[in-house]
mmCIF file of all heavy atoms in Angstrom:
data_model
loop_
_atom_site.group_PDB
_atom_site.id
_atom_site.type_symbol
_atom_site.label_atom_id
_atom_site.label_comp_id
_atom_site.label_asym_id
_atom_site.label_seq_id
_atom_site.Cartn_x
_atom_site.Cartn_y
_atom_site.Cartn_z
ATOM 1 N N MET H 1406 1.965 1.170 0.813
ATOM 2 C CA MET H 1406 2.813 2.367 0.911
ATOM 3 C C MET H 1406 3.521 2.602 -0.415
ATOM 4 O O MET H 1406 3.833 3.720 -0.770
ATOM 5 C CB MET H 1406 3.837 2.194 2.011
ATOM 6 C CG MET H 1406 4.766 1.033 1.772
ATOM 7 S SD MET H 1406 5.642 0.644 3.265
ATOM 8 C CE MET H 1406 6.336 -0.911 2.808
ATOM 9 N N PHE H 1407 3.759 1.508 -1.183
ATOM 10 C CA PHE H 1407 4.378 1.728 -2.494
ATOM 11 C C PHE H 1407 3.454 2.578 -3.358
ATOM 12 O O PHE H 1407 3.884 3.463 -4.070
ATOM 13 C CB PHE H 1407 4.636 0.385 -3.173
ATOM 14 C CG PHE H 1407 5.614 -0.460 -2.440
ATOM 15 C CD1 PHE H 1407 5.325 -1.772 -2.143
ATOM 16 C CD2 PHE H 1407 6.819 0.071 -2.015
ATOM 17 C CE1 PHE H 1407 6.225 -2.553 -1.466
ATOM 18 C CE2 PHE H 1407 7.723 -0.703 -1.337
ATOM 19 C CZ PHE H 1407 7.410 -2.025 -1.062
ATOM 20 N N SER H 1410 3.774 6.148 -2.323
ATOM 21 C CA SER H 1410 5.022 6.746 -2.800
ATOM 22 C C SER H 1410 4.960 6.966 -4.305
ATOM 23 O O SER H 1410 5.409 7.996 -4.824
ATOM 24 C CB SER H 1410 6.168 5.796 -2.463
ATOM 25 O OG SER H 1410 7.347 6.260 -3.060
ATOM 26 N N THR H 1417 4.954 14.799 -8.295
ATOM 27 C CA THR H 1417 6.156 15.626 -8.441
ATOM 28 C C THR H 1417 6.567 15.713 -9.897
ATOM 29 O O THR H 1417 7.005 16.768 -10.370
ATOM 30 C CB THR H 1417 7.295 14.990 -7.620
ATOM 31 O OG1 THR H 1417 6.806 14.681 -6.345
ATOM 32 C CG2 THR H 1417 8.471 15.902 -7.523
ATOM 33 N N LEU H 1420 4.496 18.265 -11.443
ATOM 34 C CA LEU H 1420 4.958 19.615 -11.073
ATOM 35 C C LEU H 1420 6.199 19.973 -11.878
ATOM 36 O O LEU H 1420 6.336 21.094 -12.386
ATOM 37 C CB LEU H 1420 5.274 19.649 -9.577
ATOM 38 C CG LEU H 1420 4.072 19.562 -8.626
ATOM 39 C CD1 LEU H 1420 4.538 19.496 -7.184
ATOM 40 C CD2 LEU H 1420 3.148 20.740 -8.830
ATOM 41 N N ARG H 1424 6.826 23.076 -14.416
ATOM 42 C CA ARG H 1424 7.984 23.970 -14.409
ATOM 43 C C ARG H 1424 8.655 23.967 -15.774
ATOM 44 O O ARG H 1424 9.105 24.994 -16.282
ATOM 45 C CB ARG H 1424 8.965 23.515 -13.323
ATOM 46 C CG ARG H 1424 10.307 24.192 -13.297
ATOM 47 C CD ARG H 1424 10.217 25.675 -13.389
ATOM 48 N NE ARG H 1424 9.381 26.268 -12.377
ATOM 49 C CZ ARG H 1424 8.944 27.535 -12.428
ATOM 50 N NH1 ARG H 1424 9.260 28.288 -13.450
ATOM 51 N NH2 ARG H 1424 8.188 28.023 -11.487
ATOM 52 N N THR H 1430 13.686 30.477 -18.375
ATOM 53 C CA THR H 1430 14.994 30.307 -19.019
ATOM 54 C C THR H 1430 15.162 28.853 -19.465
ATOM 55 O O THR H 1430 14.430 27.971 -19.034
ATOM 56 C CB THR H 1430 16.107 30.635 -18.008
ATOM 57 O OG1 THR H 1430 15.963 29.683 -16.946
ATOM 58 C CG2 THR H 1430 15.980 32.014 -17.456
ATOM 59 N N PHE H 1432 17.548 27.032 -18.665
ATOM 60 C CA PHE H 1432 18.089 26.202 -17.582
ATOM 61 C C PHE H 1432 16.974 25.653 -16.722
ATOM 62 O O PHE H 1432 17.085 24.574 -16.140
ATOM 63 C CB PHE H 1432 19.060 27.042 -16.753
ATOM 64 C CG PHE H 1432 20.241 27.491 -17.555
ATOM 65 C CD1 PHE H 1432 20.356 28.786 -17.986
ATOM 66 C CD2 PHE H 1432 21.210 26.575 -17.912
ATOM 67 C CE1 PHE H 1432 21.432 29.175 -18.747
ATOM 68 C CE2 PHE H 1432 22.287 26.956 -18.678
ATOM 69 C CZ PHE H 1432 22.389 28.266 -19.096
ATOM 70 N N ASP H 1433 15.826 26.415 -16.630
ATOM 71 C CA ASP H 1433 14.702 25.843 -15.880
ATOM 72 C C ASP H 1433 14.234 24.566 -16.540
ATOM 73 O O ASP H 1433 13.886 23.593 -15.875
ATOM 74 C CB ASP H 1433 13.545 26.861 -15.856
ATOM 75 C CG ASP H 1433 13.873 27.998 -14.922
ATOM 76 O OD1 ASP H 1433 14.168 27.720 -13.761
ATOM 77 O OD2 ASP H 1433 13.887 29.153 -15.381
ATOM 78 N N VAL H 1435 16.045 22.532 -18.425
ATOM 79 C CA VAL H 1435 17.005 21.445 -18.215
ATOM 80 C C VAL H 1435 16.864 20.909 -16.792
ATOM 81 O O VAL H 1435 16.894 19.707 -16.540
ATOM 82 C CB VAL H 1435 18.439 21.971 -18.456
ATOM 83 C CG1 VAL H 1435 19.453 20.906 -18.130
ATOM 84 C CG2 VAL H 1435 18.594 22.440 -19.865
ATOM 85 N N LEU H 1436 16.621 21.832 -15.867
ATOM 86 C CA LEU H 1436 16.425 21.417 -14.471
ATOM 87 C C LEU H 1436 15.207 20.515 -14.362
ATOM 88 O O LEU H 1436 15.246 19.461 -13.713
ATOM 89 C CB LEU H 1436 16.217 22.665 -13.608
ATOM 90 C CG LEU H 1436 15.825 22.438 -12.155
ATOM 91 C CD1 LEU H 1436 16.958 21.847 -11.393
ATOM 92 C CD2 LEU H 1436 15.359 23.728 -11.534
ATOM 93 N N LYS H 1444 13.086 11.314 -10.908
ATOM 94 C CA LYS H 1444 11.850 10.761 -10.342
ATOM 95 C C LYS H 1444 11.415 9.522 -11.106
ATOM 96 O O LYS H 1444 10.857 8.583 -10.526
ATOM 97 C CB LYS H 1444 10.736 11.813 -10.405
ATOM 98 C CG LYS H 1444 11.007 13.022 -9.564
ATOM 99 C CD LYS H 1444 11.319 12.628 -8.157
ATOM 100 C CE LYS H 1444 12.081 13.714 -7.467
ATOM 101 N NZ LYS H 1444 13.494 13.466 -7.335
ATOM 102 N N PRO H 1459 11.288 -8.065 -9.340
ATOM 103 C CA PRO H 1459 12.559 -7.499 -8.873
ATOM 104 C C PRO H 1459 13.460 -7.042 -9.995
ATOM 105 O O PRO H 1459 14.419 -6.323 -9.758
ATOM 106 C CB PRO H 1459 13.174 -8.655 -8.083
ATOM 107 C CG PRO H 1459 12.561 -9.874 -8.666
ATOM 108 C CD PRO H 1459 11.187 -9.504 -9.099
ATOM 109 N N ASP H 1463 17.151 -3.140 -12.325
ATOM 110 C CA ASP H 1463 18.190 -2.954 -13.342
ATOM 111 C C ASP H 1463 17.832 -1.778 -14.246
ATOM 112 O O ASP H 1463 18.670 -0.936 -14.557
ATOM 113 C CB ASP H 1463 18.312 -4.226 -14.194
ATOM 114 C CG ASP H 1463 18.547 -5.431 -13.322
ATOM 115 O OD1 ASP H 1463 19.142 -5.236 -12.237
ATOM 116 O OD2 ASP H 1463 18.115 -6.532 -13.665
ATOM 117 N N LEU H 1480 24.097 20.329 -21.223
ATOM 118 C CA LEU H 1480 24.795 21.506 -20.717
ATOM 119 C C LEU H 1480 26.032 21.787 -21.555
ATOM 120 O O LEU H 1480 26.345 22.929 -21.883
ATOM 121 C CB LEU H 1480 25.175 21.286 -19.253
ATOM 122 C CG LEU H 1480 23.987 21.287 -18.294
ATOM 123 C CD1 LEU H 1480 24.439 21.006 -16.891
ATOM 124 C CD2 LEU H 1480 23.253 22.606 -18.370
ATOM 125 N N TRP T 724 8.234 1.249 5.876
ATOM 126 C CA TRP T 724 7.033 2.065 5.639
ATOM 127 C C TRP T 724 7.332 3.533 5.942
ATOM 128 O O TRP T 724 7.053 4.434 5.160
ATOM 129 C CB TRP T 724 5.924 1.552 6.555
ATOM 130 C CG TRP T 724 4.563 1.902 6.100
ATOM 131 C CD1 TRP T 724 3.881 1.342 5.063
ATOM 132 C CD2 TRP T 724 3.709 2.903 6.646
ATOM 133 N NE1 TRP T 724 2.658 1.931 4.937
ATOM 134 C CE2 TRP T 724 2.513 2.888 5.899
ATOM 135 C CE3 TRP T 724 3.838 3.809 7.693
ATOM 136 C CZ2 TRP T 724 1.451 3.748 6.163
ATOM 137 C CZ3 TRP T 724 2.792 4.671 7.952
ATOM 138 C CH2 TRP T 724 1.603 4.618 7.193
ATOM 139 N N ILE T 727 9.861 5.055 3.313
ATOM 140 C CA ILE T 727 9.307 5.307 1.981
ATOM 141 C C ILE T 727 8.362 6.498 2.022
ATOM 142 O O ILE T 727 8.391 7.384 1.168
ATOM 143 C CB ILE T 727 8.607 4.044 1.460
ATOM 144 C CG1 ILE T 727 9.670 3.012 1.083
ATOM 145 C CG2 ILE T 727 7.731 4.347 0.278
ATOM 146 C CD1 ILE T 727 9.128 1.727 0.588
ATOM 147 N N VAL T 734 10.008 14.238 -1.620
ATOM 148 C CA VAL T 734 9.868 14.430 -3.070
ATOM 149 C C VAL T 734 8.778 15.454 -3.346
ATOM 150 O O VAL T 734 8.940 16.368 -4.156
ATOM 151 C CB VAL T 734 9.554 13.066 -3.716
ATOM 152 C CG1 VAL T 734 8.972 13.222 -5.080
ATOM 153 C CG2 VAL T 734 10.800 12.220 -3.761
ATOM 154 N N VAL T 741 9.997 23.579 -6.447
ATOM 155 C CA VAL T 741 10.426 23.920 -7.813
ATOM 156 C C VAL T 741 9.402 24.827 -8.472
ATOM 157 O O VAL T 741 9.727 25.725 -9.245
ATOM 158 C CB VAL T 741 10.618 22.621 -8.633
ATOM 159 C CG1 VAL T 741 10.653 22.927 -10.112
ATOM 160 C CG2 VAL T 741 11.886 21.938 -8.228
ATOM 161 N N ILE T 742 8.135 24.660 -8.119
ATOM 162 C CA ILE T 742 7.104 25.499 -8.746
ATOM 163 C C ILE T 742 7.104 26.894 -8.146
ATOM 164 O O ILE T 742 7.095 27.895 -8.848
ATOM 165 C CB ILE T 742 5.720 24.837 -8.549
ATOM 166 C CG1 ILE T 742 5.644 23.555 -9.347
ATOM 167 C CG2 ILE T 742 4.595 25.778 -8.961
ATOM 168 C CD1 ILE T 742 5.679 23.766 -10.828
ATOM 169 N N PHE T 747 15.866 31.015 -10.515
ATOM 170 C CA PHE T 747 16.339 29.716 -11.004
ATOM 171 C C PHE T 747 17.192 29.029 -9.953
ATOM 172 O O PHE T 747 17.047 27.853 -9.677
ATOM 173 C CB PHE T 747 17.146 29.910 -12.280
ATOM 174 C CG PHE T 747 17.964 28.700 -12.624
ATOM 175 C CD1 PHE T 747 17.348 27.543 -13.059
ATOM 176 C CD2 PHE T 747 19.337 28.703 -12.453
ATOM 177 C CE1 PHE T 747 18.086 26.411 -13.343
ATOM 178 C CE2 PHE T 747 20.085 27.584 -12.734
ATOM 179 C CZ PHE T 747 19.465 26.431 -13.185
ATOM 180 N N ARG T 750 15.279 27.531 -7.292
ATOM 181 C CA ARG T 750 14.590 26.315 -7.781
ATOM 182 C C ARG T 750 15.570 25.160 -7.854
ATOM 183 O O ARG T 750 15.240 24.012 -7.566
ATOM 184 C CB ARG T 750 14.015 26.587 -9.162
ATOM 185 C CG ARG T 750 12.630 27.194 -9.109
ATOM 186 C CD ARG T 750 12.074 27.363 -10.486
ATOM 187 N NE ARG T 750 11.455 28.675 -10.626
ATOM 188 C CZ ARG T 750 11.807 29.569 -11.535
ATOM 189 N NH1 ARG T 750 12.775 29.290 -12.385
ATOM 190 N NH2 ARG T 750 11.213 30.730 -11.604
ATOM 191 N N LEU T 751 16.798 25.493 -8.261
ATOM 192 C CA LEU T 751 17.813 24.431 -8.352
ATOM 193 C C LEU T 751 18.023 23.810 -6.980
ATOM 194 O O LEU T 751 18.141 22.598 -6.824
ATOM 195 C CB LEU T 751 19.117 25.041 -8.866
ATOM 196 C CG LEU T 751 20.241 24.067 -9.157
ATOM 197 C CD1 LEU T 751 19.844 23.110 -10.240
ATOM 198 C CD2 LEU T 751 21.490 24.812 -9.545
ATOM 199 N N THR T 757 15.110 17.346 -3.558
ATOM 200 C CA THR T 757 14.355 16.106 -3.809
ATOM 201 C C THR T 757 15.283 15.031 -4.342
ATOM 202 O O THR T 757 15.149 13.859 -4.020
ATOM 203 C CB THR T 757 13.273 16.344 -4.861
ATOM 204 O OG1 THR T 757 13.924 16.502 -6.130
ATOM 205 C CG2 THR T 757 12.517 17.601 -4.576
ATOM 206 N N ASP T 758 16.249 15.455 -5.206
ATOM 207 C CA ASP T 758 17.117 14.433 -5.809
ATOM 208 C C ASP T 758 17.845 13.663 -4.734
ATOM 209 O O ASP T 758 17.906 12.442 -4.766
ATOM 210 C CB ASP T 758 18.146 15.107 -6.723
ATOM 211 C CG ASP T 758 17.479 15.535 -8.023
ATOM 212 O OD1 ASP T 758 16.329 15.111 -8.219
ATOM 213 O OD2 ASP T 758 18.081 16.294 -8.780
ATOM 214 N N GLN T 772 12.958 -3.047 2.797
ATOM 215 C CA GLN T 772 11.825 -3.917 2.454
ATOM 216 C C GLN T 772 12.304 -5.208 1.809
ATOM 217 O O GLN T 772 11.795 -6.290 2.068
ATOM 218 C CB GLN T 772 10.909 -3.153 1.492
ATOM 219 C CG GLN T 772 9.655 -3.908 1.103
ATOM 220 C CD GLN T 772 8.705 -4.029 2.264
ATOM 221 O OE1 GLN T 772 8.799 -3.253 3.227
ATOM 222 N NE2 GLN T 772 7.829 -5.020 2.229
ATOM 223 N N VAL T 778 18.379 -7.963 -5.014
ATOM 224 C CA VAL T 778 17.688 -6.727 -5.382
ATOM 225 C C VAL T 778 18.207 -5.583 -4.524
ATOM 226 O O VAL T 778 18.479 -4.484 -5.012
ATOM 227 C CB VAL T 778 16.165 -6.907 -5.187
ATOM 228 C CG1 VAL T 778 15.446 -5.576 -5.356
ATOM 229 C CG2 VAL T 778 15.645 -7.926 -6.159
ATOM 230 N N LYS T 781 21.424 -4.247 -5.806
ATOM 231 C CA LYS T 781 21.261 -3.333 -6.940
ATOM 232 C C LYS T 781 20.742 -1.983 -6.474
ATOM 233 O O LYS T 781 21.147 -0.921 -6.945
ATOM 234 C CB LYS T 781 20.279 -3.948 -7.950
ATOM 235 C CG LYS T 781 20.872 -5.128 -8.703
ATOM 236 C CD LYS T 781 19.827 -5.752 -9.603
ATOM 237 C CE LYS T 781 20.284 -7.092 -10.131
ATOM 238 N NZ LYS T 781 19.179 -7.892 -10.646
ATOM 239 N N LEU T 800 24.744 22.187 -13.750
ATOM 240 C CA LEU T 800 23.646 23.059 -14.181
ATOM 241 C C LEU T 800 23.868 24.475 -13.661
ATOM 242 O O LEU T 800 23.790 25.461 -14.399
ATOM 243 C CB LEU T 800 22.342 22.477 -13.621
ATOM 244 C CG LEU T 800 21.029 22.923 -14.239
ATOM 245 C CD1 LEU T 800 21.058 22.723 -15.723
ATOM 246 C CD2 LEU T 800 19.889 22.117 -13.640
ATOM 247 N N SER T 807 26.701 31.479 -18.230
ATOM 248 C CA SER T 807 25.990 32.173 -19.322
ATOM 249 C C SER T 807 25.361 33.448 -18.806
ATOM 250 O O SER T 807 24.532 34.038 -19.482
ATOM 251 C CB SER T 807 24.905 31.263 -19.878
ATOM 252 O OG SER T 807 23.804 31.344 -19.011
#
Side-chain angles (χ1 to χ4, degrees):
Chain H
M1406 61 194 168
F1407 296 130
S1410 172
T1417 312
L1420 290 175
R1424 171 47 55 194
T1430 62
F1432 297 105
D1433 287 305
V1435 175
L1436 173 69
K1444 296 307 158 257
D1463 306 331
L1480 290 178
Chain T
W724 202 74
I727 287 179
V734 162
V741 163
I742 292 294
F747 164 70
R750 273 184 225 122
L751 186 62
T757 72
D758 284 350
Q772 183 70 20
V778 171
K781 288 176 192 162
L800 198 53
S807 80

